[in-house]
Structures are given as C-alpha cells and as structure tokens.
RNA sequence: GAGGGAGUAGCCAAGCGGCCAACGGCGCGGGUCUUAAGAACCCGUCCCGUAGGGGUUCCGGGGUUCGAAUCCCCGCUCCCUCACCA
C-alpha cells in the first residue's frame, strides 16, 4: 500500500535538473588547471541501469558535488563502453543493427542517469563504438606497432569445428555448473560453443597481440606505490603477473637437449624422472613412430584437473646435467604446455606433486635437502655458506614434512629450503647458495625469470568492435593502414549464420595494399573491447579532439584520475590494461603520467535478502520503479546512508521509506521556517515561558544558552561531516547532517527560536546533504531564499576553532553520568542538579603533568603555587595516568561554556533545575571532586 | 597449495596502541507525542552496585608494552583471487 507523497519528487526533480542544465553547473572548461578528476567506470550500455550502477554513480556524483562546493573544478564525465558481443547477439535476435540497438540503449541509460540527478558534463560524453572514438584505437594500435608492442604471432584460440570459426573466450560456455566468467587472453578453456554446443578445441592461429609482458616488471614493481589502492586488488594484480625467479637448465635426450624451468635448482641431484607435457614438441617426436605410445599419450587429458597423476613412460631417458644419471622420461598429464617450458625435472623428495607422481609410478624418491637443524644436529659440516641469492628464497622452516629436524621424504616431500645432502660437491651448502653455485657451474643453466602474465591477445573474430587497421597483401604481408586513411570504418552489418560477419562483406574485405597497390584483403578481426576501456579516461580530457586521441599537455595536467570507483570484477583485466596503456603512452611521449588512477574504490554489492541481485534469480529492485515511486533523492540517500561505499548492504523497503520520510520532513521544516520567517517578522512576543528556568544566560531569544548550543552544534556538524566527506565516509557524514536536522526540529518545537540561528542551522544541514540529495536540497535552498543554486554554493566552514569533539564528549559524558547517578541512586524526582567545573589549579596541574616527562607528581609539586595545595595537589597528581594525560582537554572556561550551553538538555530530560558553576562559585567540597573533563555533579532530591 | 582479506555484544557493522564497556543501524524494552496505531523524538539494551563505581569482554592460546579489540607469533574458522605454475 502506498501512501501519498508529501512532496512531489517528480516535479521537484525535473525542475532542478532543468535548472542545472540551464546553468551548466557541471560543465568543465578546457582551460581548467589540475581539476579534481572523479570517475566511475563507464558502463556497457545493456539497456537499463541497475542498482549496482546507481550505487556506483551516486558515490562519484556525491563526491564530485562535494568537491565542486569546496571550490574545486571537477571533471565528472560519463561515456559508453559500447562495443561488444551482447549487442551483436541482440541485433541478430531482434533483426536489427548492433549500432542501432546500442544507441537506443545509450539513450535510455543516459535518460535514467539524468533522472537520477547525476551531475555529469555531457559535453564530454564519449561512445566507443563511434568512429570518432575507435579511430584512435586504430591510431594507438599503430603507435604500439611502431614501438614493437603490437605483433602478429601464433596464438592458441578457441575453435569450433562445427561453426568453422574462432570463438572469443566469452563465446565459450562453461560445462556443467561452471559460470562462463570472462577470461580474455589465451585460450585453452574447456567448454562448448555458445551457438551449437560443440566442444571447443584449441587451435593455433596467427593473431594480434599487445606485448604487455614487456611491461611486466614495471607493472609489478609499481604496484607497491599504489597507496590509494585496496590491498586485494593489488594482490590480484601481483598474482596475475606472477613473477617467479628461478633457473633454466637443459637435460640431454636422444632428441637433443630439453630445457626445463625450476625454482628449485638446488634439488637437481634429487631429480629421478623427467616429464613432458602431452603436446610438447619432443613428445610429438618421441611418439611419431610409436602408434601405441601415441595412443597412450592421446589418452591423457591435458585439461584434467586435480585427482590422480596420470602419465606414460616413453621408454626414453634424459641425462641429469649434474650427475650424468639417466632418468626416465614420462609424458605426464599434470605437465602443462604453457607453464615454464612445458617440461620439468621431477624431484619427488622435495615437491609434493612430483612425490605423488613418483608414488603412483613407482619412481625412486631421493632426499637431497635436509632441514638445517637436522644437519647441524648430525654434526655434519653445514658449511655456513649463506650467500643468499635468488629472490624468494625462504628461511628454512619446519614446513613440508620436517619433524624434529628429521624428515622422511618417502612419506612426504620436504619442500622447504635447507642444506644439501646427497649432492656431491654441493653437500653442506644452503639451498640458496646451491642454486647460485649450480648456475655458475653448469653450462646449460641460467638464472631465469618467468611470468604468468601472457601477451594480450586482442584479435576477436566478431563484427562489433574496432577493426584492426591492417591490410594483408600477398606480396608485402600484413601492412598497416596509413594514418590518413583512418578510421577503418565498420561496414554495414550483415548477419551471418556462422563466423565473422565482416568476412562476408566483400566491399570491406577487398582492398588494395597501401604499399604496393596490389589487390589485398583487409584484416577482418576486430579488437578486444578492453582496448577501448584502456584509455577512455584520457579521451574525456579532450573528447572532440580530431587530431589526436587526447591533448597531451592537458592530459598530463589532469591525470591521474583522483578517485576511481567501480566493481572488483575489473581488478585485473581493465585496471592492468589501463596501467599498461598509460606506461606505453608515457614512454611514447604522448603523456607525462605513468599511473592512471590515484585512488581506487571498489564499491560493495547491493543485495536483496542477502543475495546478489540478478535478473536470473528474479530478485531485482529496478531503479526505474524506485525512481517513480520515491524519487532519485530517496534512492541516493538510502544507498549512501546505509553503509560505506565499500560495504555490501541489503536493499530494504523499510530503509527506503525512512529515507523518504526524512526528505519529507526536511522539506516541511524548510517550508515551515520560510513561512514563519515571513509571518512572524517583527512579532517578537516574548515567550519567555520556556526560558524562565534558565540559570545561565539572559533569556533573551538569541542569547540564551540553547541558541548558542544550536549554533555551536551547527559548526560541530560541519567540522565532522567535512572530515567524513574527505574520507569517503558518506554514511557518517549523512548521520551528522541528519542529526543536525533532528536537533533543529527539537529546537523549533520547544519554543521560540532565534531565527538566524535556526536558519543558519538549516541551511548548513542542506548544504551538508546537497551532494547526496541534490534535488531536495535545491528545493529547500530555494524555499529559504538561498543565493543561486546549492550545487554551486560554497561548502560551509565552521566558524572559530572550537574543539568540537572534546566539547561534545564532555557534554555527552556529563549527561550520561547524571543519568547513571539518578539510576544507581534511585532518585526519581530530582529538584536541582548542580554541575561544577574543576578548579583552575587542576587544569594547570594536568597541563604541567602532561608536559613533564613521566613524573606527574614531581612536575606538579615543582610548581610553588600548586605545592601550596599540599595533599590535594599531590593526590590529584598521583591520579593522573598516562591515558588521562595524553587526552585533549578543554580549559575551565571552555568547559563551563560548553556545559552551560548544553544545560537545557539535562533540564528538559529530567524536568529539573540545572546549575552549571565555576569552581570558585561553588561549594568547596563539591568543587574538589571535579576534575578536568569530569565536572562534579550533585543532585538534590525534591 | 600460493596470495589477499576477515573473525567485535541477538544480528549487521565501526574502531586498528591510551578519550573503549567499545560509534552507528536493525531488533528488543521503557518514555514523550497521539483518540489510537504508525511516524518522529528521548532513554536503555554484558554482569553487579541506593552518587558518576566495580567485574568480565572484542575467535582460541601465547608474547611485546606502564597500557592491546587494536602490534607480534601459533592455532582454528570464514570469504575472495589464482592454481596440477615446475
């Protein structure tokens, strides 16, 4: 059941959206100097905004608005990551063109964003599927190519036998139970074709790659300096790059030397078998004239994971380069072609996986490394050679099967470093030293660094992407299209039952070689869409530039993006590719910045009933509905108030309603204040009634403690909320703003208010709320007769330099103490509550003690005046512990003022008389009980 | 298995060396307002206590420190990423 809206959000929102547009508030001039660059990851235009988008953009919008109010020039742009497979699918399904479908979706989503009130500079909108944008993908591709960073080479890709086409990884559907998560890059996925269900094979085809591996070290090492990035993202990137330092070494075989990579060269003497990947070159040679063996190898499943260590003995042997021993060569399932060299030395004594294989195939297990303490215990010559060496060598610890310094490698592999045994001349060396020594001594051995990161395969055999600007000439080979001929535009879309539609467009394919003019055919592959998103944040700097992808000078000034907000799912791909692009562009002299994103925030998910919202599960709350029912501000306020940006939270109807109710109240309060101001002007009738009990203060409206209290709280709220906005703690900032509104409500309800105090409070609250609920804030601002737009107003600054925190704490603690006393003492009907601030000398003593070096009593008693206090001073000094000393303290005057201002709260709560006094004006005994931060309290019963 | 993160009162969730018995929200209890309900607002919500006190807490166990939810070590549990990675 819906109750009627006390405010017409639809009218208010569209009114202010129009006003913002008219006033061009979000326009970012090109001549700005180092503006605040606040960015949300741009969306794929799927057709509808979902809650995740709304949360994402609300976060950046609120921060951008806050920054703008702080006087910053703010770049908060939006664009569309609009190439990609779904559009192609949708076009086929709906018998339309991917471009039309995409542009329709963009229109819908732009409209939704505008209705959400996101303050975006639409003049800078970019759409990656437009030639104006993707021509620069092509241009950049050429620059990469010139720098030797784009190359064509054989790559493993997914191939569907039935469709006779290459499939992008996304076009490979996972088998039972597996989610077809995105995994770009190399092929090898085990799955089925998305169109026909045929199991996907792997083929090696010539494809275009960007050589990101050239930047592996740089990208990895620079992660340490990304201080504004979350640890998990940094960890994922490190992991993904996967640098591993070790060594290569060759084993001789009847088919020539075969290289292996190992991180544990020190275990070389323990190598008792040799293993090849099923599709290793040497495997093919061995198998070539042995059909039985070939069949056995064929039977191995290279995609098998986990259980069992299947393998086939080839009958061949390899020569251990260190010992000259002959060891059996196996073809093993667990050896992967694309890891290391596709071949490995098996050391069952010191590698768990090898151990398992050896046990299954009855291979000798030999110990060649012992825990350091075991060797020392034997009195063996441990040699003490700790020259250190290769990165990543760990201290010998007792992991991996060591037990009391003794290990039995027949039981389990001992995988830790230690001291060499059974290793001839290397016995007694530490693992690390042995690794270095072996590399020195063996001709075929060399230090080697390996990466998990592979070059980035950007070729995609589909229509809806950036055409790779290459022409294949029978004579000249692949030739790049000259810059003047860019962009290579996509031809009309012709749906084809299978394969890449581009191949079917003769007018596109048939062309001339730019070099020799001979008939040639155009490359029909398009680029991975991650190319588009690897530099889009640069395009926003000069979105209409026609002679460069972006203005170098301006980009160098504006970048990096100050705050980048998006989902964790882009932790590796997008964010790594973008970092790669930036570094290349920097090296090419097109940019003077190396890292794209200064501070990165991964927003949490929006849940419904503890589950991720998803269309397939049907548990989706559509922004469209919320927009209609409650309005944009309600949705924004709820999302921002319920949790910090990184925390996931549950969408609840209740929460939404309470946010909506708050906005209604706020609006009523503003309207009430405005009408009161007009009516009651001059009507200063004394309603002294409610002020008669005031002990401190004159009772004149505007000069009463309560007026001062409200004024002070207004400043305190500003101070706190500002710190919260700075720290991206929007939930806390909103709490401050909301509690200020609530205080103002009480202030108004309890009697005559000072109009200036009240209105300043209200205006301030509106300003604090404006970044999150911009429409209602504008409406209130307008009602109150504010100057211009709040969106363009100055962020409030607290007047004075008050210790707001300390004051609030003092007041709160004192109030709690009063309640506590009343409760514990069982006083039901207090008549007077007397609050006495500690005497000056105690404050002075505290000050001296905190300045002194530990000896509080000494420091205090050294002061002649305090010494005169005798016993009392000594006692007090003794009671000062370190935590008390380290705290922030108010002066006696400040304490007195803060408590006086807040006295009305106590008075109201307990319906009693309250007296706040200075020590000098109070009973001596009572004053004696007071300490700084802790006034004495005496309660008199009726 | 490797790397990252986390375990805080009924629940969610801050805090990350002293101001912490520990913010805030939900739930629950009391109160104000109201014809009533709801909303809103105020108070309470580990135990004991007739004056602001005391006791026992922040996964478990050790340690560092005058002082630890906060730092270090060990263990347990959970989440995420990568993974038969040589």
């Amino acid at each position: 059941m819906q109750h009627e809206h006390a405010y017409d959000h639809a009218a208010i929102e569209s009114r202010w959206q129009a006003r913002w547009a008219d006033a061009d508030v979000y326009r970012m001039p090109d001549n700005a100097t180092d503006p605040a660059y606040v960015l949300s990851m741009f969306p794929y235009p799927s057709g509808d905004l979902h809650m995740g988008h709304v949360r994402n953009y609300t976060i950046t919008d609120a921060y951008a608005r806050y920054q703008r109010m702080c006087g910053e020039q703010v770049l908060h742009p939006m664009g569309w990551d609009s190439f990609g497979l779904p559009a192609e699918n949708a076009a086929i399904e709906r018998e339309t063109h991917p471009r039309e479908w995409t542009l329709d979706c963009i229109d819908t989503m732009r409209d939704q964003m505008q209705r959400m009130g996101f303050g975006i500079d639409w003049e800078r909108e970019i759409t990656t599927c437009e030639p104006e944008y993707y021509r620069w993908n092509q241009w950049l591709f050429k620059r990469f190519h010139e720098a030797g960073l784009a190359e064509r080479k054989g790559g493993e890709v997914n191939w569907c036998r039935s469709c006779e086409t290459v499939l992008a990884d996304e076009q490979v559907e996972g088998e039972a139970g597996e989610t077809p998560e995105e995994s770009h890059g190399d092929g090898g996925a085990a799955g089925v074709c998305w169109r026909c269900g045929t199991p996907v094979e792997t083929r090696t085809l010539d494809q275009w790659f960007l050589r990101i591996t050239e930047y592996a070290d740089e990208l990895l090492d620079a992660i340490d300096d990304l201080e504004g990035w979350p640890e998990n993202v940094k960890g994922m990137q490190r992991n993904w790059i996967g640098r591993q330092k070790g060594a290569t070494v060759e084993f001789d075989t009847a088919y020539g030397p075969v290289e292996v990579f190992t991180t544990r060269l020190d275990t070389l003497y323990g190598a008792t078998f040799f293993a090849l990947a099923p599709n290793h070159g040497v495997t093919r040679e061995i198998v070539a004239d042995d059909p039985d063996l070939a069949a056995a190898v064929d039977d191995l499943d290279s995609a098998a994971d986990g259980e069992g260590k299947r393998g086939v003995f080839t009958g061949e042997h390899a020569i251990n380069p260190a010992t000259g021993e002959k060891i059996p060569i196996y073809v093993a399932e667990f050896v992967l072609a694309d890891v290391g060299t596709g071949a490995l030395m098996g050391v069952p004594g010191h590698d768990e996986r090898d151990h398992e294989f050896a046990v299954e195939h009855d291979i000798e297990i030999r110990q060649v490394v012992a825990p350091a303490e075991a060797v020392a215990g034997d009195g063996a010559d441990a040699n003490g050679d700790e020259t250190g060496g290769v990165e990543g060598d760990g201290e010998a610890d007792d992991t991996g099967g060591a037990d009391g310094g003794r290990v039995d490698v027949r039981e389990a592999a001992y995988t830790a470093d230690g001291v060499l045994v059974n290793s001839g001349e290397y016995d007694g060396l530490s693992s690390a030293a042995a690794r270095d020594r072996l590399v020195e001594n063996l001709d075929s051995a060399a230090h080697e660094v390996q990466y998990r990161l592979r070059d980035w395969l950007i070729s995609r055999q589909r229509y809806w992407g950036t055409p790779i600007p290459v022409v294949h000439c029978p004579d000249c080979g692949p030739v790049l299209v000259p810059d003047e001929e860019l962009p290579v535009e996509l031809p009309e879309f012709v749906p084809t039952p299978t394969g890449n539609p581009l191949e079917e467009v003769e007018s596109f394919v048939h062309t001339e070689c730019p070099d020799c003019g001979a008939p040639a055919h155009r490359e029909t592959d398009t680029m991975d869409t991650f190319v588009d998103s690897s530099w889009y944040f640069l395009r926003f700097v000069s979105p209409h530039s026609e002679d460069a992808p972006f203005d170098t000078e301006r980009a160098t000034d504006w970048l990096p993006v100050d705050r980048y907000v998006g989902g964790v799912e882009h932790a590796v791909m997008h964010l790594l590719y973008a970092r790669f692009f930036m570094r290349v562009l920097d090296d090419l002299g097109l940019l003077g910045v190396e890292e794209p994103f200064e501070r990165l925030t991964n927003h949490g998910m929006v849940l419904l009933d503890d589950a991720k919202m998803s269309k397939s599960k049907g548990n989706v709350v559509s922004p469209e509905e919320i927009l209609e029912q409650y309005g944009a501000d309600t949705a924004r306020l709820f999302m921002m108030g319920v949790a910090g940006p990184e925390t996931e939270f549950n969408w609840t109807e209740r929460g939404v309603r309470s946010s909506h109710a708050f906005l209604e109240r706020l609006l009523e309060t503003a309207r009430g204040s405005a009408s009161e101001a007009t009516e009651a002007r001059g009507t200063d009738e004394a309603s002294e009634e409610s002020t008669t009990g005031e002990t401190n203060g004159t009772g004149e409206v505007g000069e009463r403690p309560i007026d001062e209290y409200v004024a002070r709280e207004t400043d305190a709220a500003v101070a706190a909320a500002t710190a919260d906005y700075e720290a991206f703690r929007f939930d806390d900032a909103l709490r401050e703003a909301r509690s200020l509104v609530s205080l103002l409500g009480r202030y108004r309800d309890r009697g005559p208010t000072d109009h200036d105090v009240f209105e300043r409070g209200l205006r301030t609250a509106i300003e604090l709320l404006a970044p999150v609920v911009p429409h209602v804030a504008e409406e209130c601002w307008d009602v109150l007769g504010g100057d211009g737009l709040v969106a363009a107003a100055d962020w409030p600054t607290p007047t004075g330099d008050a210790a707001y925190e300390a004051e609030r704490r003092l007041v709160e603690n004192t109030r709690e103490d009063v309640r506590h006393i009343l409760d514990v003492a069982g006083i039901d009907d207090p008549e007077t509550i007397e609050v006495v601030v500690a005497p000056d000398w105690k404050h002075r003593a505290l000050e001296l003690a905190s300045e002194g070096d530990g000896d509080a009593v000494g420091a205090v008693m050294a002061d002649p005046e305090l010494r005169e206090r005798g016993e009392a001073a000594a006692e007090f000094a003794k009671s000062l512990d370190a935590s008390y000393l380290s705290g922030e303290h108010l002066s006696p005057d400040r304490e007195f003022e803060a408590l006086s201002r807040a006295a009305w709260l106590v008075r109201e709560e307990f319906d009693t008389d309250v007296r706040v006094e200075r020590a000098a004006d109070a009973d001596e005994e009572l004053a004696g009980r007071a300490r700084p931060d802790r006034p004495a309290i005496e309660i008199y019963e009726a």
Side-chain angles (χ1 to χ4, degrees):
Chain A
M1 158 182 18
Q2 302 316 321
H3 32 188
E4 93 256 42
H5 303 295
Y7 81 93
D8 184 351
H9 58 256
I12 289 177
E13 289 174 2
S14 57
R15 169 157 68 249
W16 293 106
Q17 283 158 17
R19 293 284 293 276
W20 294 327
D22 289 348
D24 243 359
V25 241
Y26 309 118
R27 177 66 47 77
M28 172 67 209
D30 282 342
N31 61 13
T33 308
D34 191 25
Y37 193 167
V38 184
L39 186 66
S40 278
M41 290 182 189
F42 69 161
Y44 175 78
S46 56
D48 267 306
L49 230 45
H50 59 245
M51 280 301 174
H53 289 128
V54 175
R55 187 175 194 193
N56 198 153
Y57 311 141
T58 303
I59 291 166
T60 50
D61 187 45
Y63 189 72
R65 286 173 180 276
Y66 162 70
Q67 287 283 299
R68 202 172 286 118
M69 289 176 77
C70 287
E72 290 285 325
Q73 288 182 298
V74 177
L75 177 58
H76 184 229
M78 184 54 70
W80 311 99
D81 189 12
S82 48
F83 267 140
L85 200 51
E88 214 166 320
N89 296 344
I92 291 170
E93 249 172 60
R94 285 155 232 231
E95 299 191 340
T96 168
H97 190 287
R99 183 167 194 277
E100 277 156 34
W101 185 78
T102 301
L103 296 184
D104 272 359
C105 288
I106 290 175
D107 284 342
T108 309
M109 289 175 76
R110 188 193 304 105
D111 178 62
Q112 287 172 328
M113 287 185 186
Q114 284 168 342
R115 282 188 293 138
M116 281 304 304
F118 298 138
I120 288 159
D121 181 355
W122 290 106
E123 293 283 307
R124 292 180 184 275
E125 176 181 3
I126 59 178
T127 305
T128 61
C129 66
E130 298 287 14
E132 292 74 47
Y133 186 86
Y134 70 67
R135 66 176 294 190
W136 298 113
N137 282 344
Q138 297 169 340
W139 189 89
L140 288 167
F141 175 86
K142 291 193 63 187
R143 303 292 86 80
F144 274 58
H145 188 265
E146 286 159 7
L149 293 169
E151 65 171 353
R152 192 169 165 79
K153 63 181 179 184
E156 292 206 325
V157 292
N158 307 302
W159 179 263
C160 174
R161 187 198 301 248
S162 151
C163 302
E164 287 186 70
T165 184
V166 160
L167 300 174
D169 286 349
E170 302 88 323
Q171 292 171 312
V172 178
E173 290 179 344
E175 280 163 317
E178 284 202 9
T179 1
E181 279 303 315
E182 291 195 79
S183 69
H184 295 251
D186 48 7
V192 298
C193 173
W194 64 304
R195 279 188 188 154
C196 64
T198 308
V200 167
E201 303 166 7
T202 301
R203 281 206 178 179
T204 302
L205 291 179
D206 278 353
Q207 302 278 286
W208 287 99
F209 288 83
L210 295 186
R211 300 184 59 196
I212 190 172
T213 52
E214 289 289 302
Y215 281 75
D217 280 315
E218 249 190 80
L219 289 168
L220 180 66
D221 294 336
I223 291 173
D224 295 339
D225 300 325
L226 296 175
E227 282 166 21
W229 283 39
E231 283 308 317
N232 61 335
V233 174
K234 291 196 279 186
M236 283 187 233
Q237 294 213 346
R238 285 194 189 100
N239 198 301
W240 189 263
I241 295 169
R243 179 165 66 192
Q244 190 128 45
K245 298 194 176 176
T248 51
V249 63
E250 289 176 358
F251 280 63
D252 254 323
T253 71
Y255 300 83
V258 180
E259 191 181 69
V260 301
F261 174 77
T262 177
T263 52
R264 293 298 305 275
L265 191 59
D266 55 314
T267 63
L268 184 55
Y269 277 72
T272 51
F273 70 95
F274 192 86
L276 292 166
N279 51 347
H280 191 280
V282 174
T283 305
R284 292 202 195 108
E285 287 184 49
I286 295 175
V287 148
D289 37 34
D290 186 340
D292 289 347
L293 190 58
V297 167
D298 261 0
D299 192 42
L300 298 175
D301 179 3
S302 62
D305 47 326
E307 300 314 291
K309 288 284 172 288
R310 300 211 301 145
V312 179
F313 176 49
T314 59
E316 297 288 333
H317 292 268
I319 310 293
N320 184 320
T323 63
E325 257 181 303
K326 282 173 74 178
I327 56 174
I329 299 177
Y330 284 78
V331 175
E333 210 167 66
F334 76 88
V335 182
L336 307 177
D338 57 352
V339 175
T341 62
L344 59 80
M345 62 179 206
V347 186
H350 302 284
D351 181 280
E352 284 170 21
R353 197 193 43 229
D354 295 349
H355 191 274
E356 201 184 323
F357 189 82
V359 170
E360 278 191 36
H361 298 272
D362 206 19
I363 298 169
E364 184 196 347
I365 300 170
R366 188 185 299 167
Q367 177 174 13
V368 293
V369 176
E373 59 278 18
V375 176
D378 278 354
D381 181 16
N383 228 351
D385 193 338
E386 288 286 352
T387 52
V390 196
E391 176 187 294
D393 52 22
E395 294 284 304
D397 54 35
D398 56 1
T399 58
D403 183 11
R406 298 235 154 235
V407 294
D408 180 359
V409 295
R410 300 157 67 78
E411 278 302 308
Y414 174 70
T415 58
D417 273 6
V419 174
L420 294 239
V421 295
N422 300 325
S423 298
E425 57 179 299
Y426 301 96
D427 279 0
L429 287 181
S430 70
S431 289
R435 286 193 281 265
D436 284 346
R437 194 71 63 83
L438 279 157
V439 168
E440 280 167 33
N441 294 352
L442 297 176
D443 287 343
S444 74
H447 287 299
E448 164 87 2
V449 180
Q450 290 246 340
Y451 302 88
R452 210 179 75 88
L453 182 70
R454 294 283 115 97
D455 276 335
W456 175 13
L457 168 62
I458 59 160
S459 298
R460 289 296 124 93
Q461 289 71 34
R462 54 170 117 114
Y463 171 80
W464 197 228
T466 303
I468 293 175
V470 169
V471 169
H472 295 280
C473 170
D475 296 327
C476 315
V479 178
L480 296 204
V481 174
D483 284 358
E484 317 81 74
E485 290 177 29
L486 299 182
V488 175
E489 288 200 47
L490 283 171
E492 274 308 298
F493 179 64
V494 181
T496 52
T498 63
N500 181 351
L502 280 180
E503 286 177 350
E504 309 299 319
V505 185
E506 303 245 323
S507 60
F508 179 78
V509 176
H510 295 306
T511 183
E512 289 172 0
C513 171
D515 279 1
C516 68
H521 72 275
R522 226 175 253 293
E523 170 75 59
T524 53
D525 286 353
T526 53
M527 295 183 199
D528 180 2
T529 57
F530 275 116
V531 171
D532 312 358
S533 55
S534 291
W535 66 279
Y536 79 104
F537 45 88
L538 290 163
R539 184 67 180 170
F540 284 130
V541 161
S542 45
H544 309 296
S545 164
E546 283 176 14
D547 47 10
F550 52 87
D551 182 302
T552 295
E553 198 183 325
R554 200 184 300 155
T556 301
D557 181 52
W558 289 12
L559 271 280
V561 172
D562 296 281
R563 312 253 11 180
Y564 196 37
V565 179
V568 242
E569 62 272 22
H570 296 111
V572 176
M573 294 302 187
H574 164 54
L575 291 171
L576 191 61
Y577 294 148
R579 293 183 60 220
F580 166 52
F581 259 62
M582 285 284 284
R583 279 171 190 275
V584 173
L585 294 173
D586 183 48
D587 288 349
L588 294 179
L590 292 168
L591 193 62
V593 192
E594 286 190 317
E595 285 290 336
F597 313 117
E598 178 100 47
R599 309 258 288 149
L600 173 70
T601 301
N602 293 131
H603 67 259
M605 285 193 297
V606 182
L607 309 175
L608 190 64
D609 299 325
D610 293 323
K612 181 182 183 174
M613 286 190 187
S614 82
K615 323 95 229 158
S616 54
K617 272 183 267 171
N619 63 333
V620 177
V621 177
S622 112
E624 196 70 46
E625 278 169 41
I626 298 299
L627 211 40
E628 189 171 318
Q629 196 171 335
Y630 295 101
D633 286 340
T634 297
R636 297 171 57 123
L637 178 61
F638 170 60
M639 292 190 135
M640 298 294 272
V642 70
E646 305 185 49
T647 314
E648 61 182 20
F649 70 88
N650 269 296
W651 184 271
T652 62
E653 181 68 20
R654 191 193 165 82
V656 174
R657 289 195 184 192
S658 116
S659 298
H660 192 254
F662 170 77
L663 293 177
E664 288 180 346
R665 245 177 294 131
L666 180 66
L667 209 42
E668 277 165 24
T669 304
R671 287 177 180 147
S673 167
S675 59
E676 212 171 89
T678 38
E679 276 170 33
R681 185 152 307 163
T683 332
D684 273 27
E685 62 7 307
S687 90
E688 294 291 295
E689 231 292 271
S690 65
T691 60
T692 28
E694 312 280 351
T695 311
N696 304 286
T698 63
E700 273 295 299
V701 171
E703 288 172 22
R704 299 160 307 168
I706 188 173
D707 304 320
E708 285 169 23
Y709 178 84
V710 172
R712 190 69 146 200
E713 271 300 301
T714 300
D715 289 321
V718 171
T722 303
D724 292 333
Y725 269 107
E726 285 296 333
F728 247 49
R729 289 189 308 252
F730 306 103
D731 50 335
D732 291 332
L734 290 171
R735 197 138 58 216
E736 275 303 331
R738 293 177 70 156
S739 82
L740 175 59
V741 172
S742 146
L743 172 66
L744 292 168
R746 289 179 75 188
Y747 179 49
R748 178 200 53 206
D749 291 346
R750 73 183 287 289
T753 58
D754 176 79
H755 188 72
D756 291 345
V757 169
F758 183 82
E759 201 167 291
R760 182 175 80 93
L762 191 53
R763 273 177 204 249
T764 302
I766 287 161
E767 287 169 322
L768 299 182
L769 288 163
V772 177
V773 291
H775 311 89
V776 170
E778 292 291 1
E779 186 72 13
C780 292
W781 191 254
D782 185 47
V783 163
L784 293 175
D787 258 356
L789 297 161
V790 223
D794 287 338
W795 189 254
T797 43
T799 57
D801 58 342
Y804 301 108
E805 279 297 310
E807 287 181 6
R808 281 178 161 184
R809 208 160 44 229
L810 173 71
V811 168
E812 204 34 61
N813 288 343
T814 306
R815 293 177 65 199
E816 271 167 20
D817 284 345
V818 170
R819 287 179 205 123
H820 203 176
I821 294 167
L822 250 19
D823 181 42
V824 172
I827 301 170
D828 293 330
D829 188 15
E831 183 169 64
T832 304
I833 297 174
E834 198 177 350
V835 177
V836 184
V837 169
D840 291 7
W841 71 264
K842 282 194 182 174
H843 282 89
R844 204 174 131 59
L846 180 57
E847 202 178 310
L848 287 173
S850 23
E851 283 163 7
D853 46 357
D855 178 15
V857 179
V860 170
M861 299 312 278
D863 184 271
E865 246 181 81
L866 290 172
R867 194 163 46 231
E868 273 176 38
R869 302 261 160 201
E871 199 57 11
E875 279 297 311
F876 178 65
K878 249 187 267 177
S879 73
L880 301 173
D881 57 19
S883 65
Y884 195 15
L885 290 174
S886 67
E888 185 191 1
H889 305 284
L890 297 168
S891 70
D893 284 347
R894 284 281 184 87
E895 280 198 16
F896 175 76
E897 286 159 13
L899 290 168
S900 300
R901 283 193 296 266
W904 67 278
L905 286 163
V906 179
R907 183 154 37 240
E908 249 169 40
E909 185 173 345
F910 302 105
D911 189 26
T912 177
D913 188 27
V914 175
R915 288 205 304 272
V916 178
E917 296 172 316
R918 298 174 197 274
D921 304 328
D923 173 79
E924 202 172 328
E925 192 277 327
L926 179 56
R929 289 187 343 232
R931 328 171 73 208
D933 292 347
R934 217 72 205 282
I937 298 167
E938 185 66 33
I939 299 176
Y940 306 94
E941 289 196 63

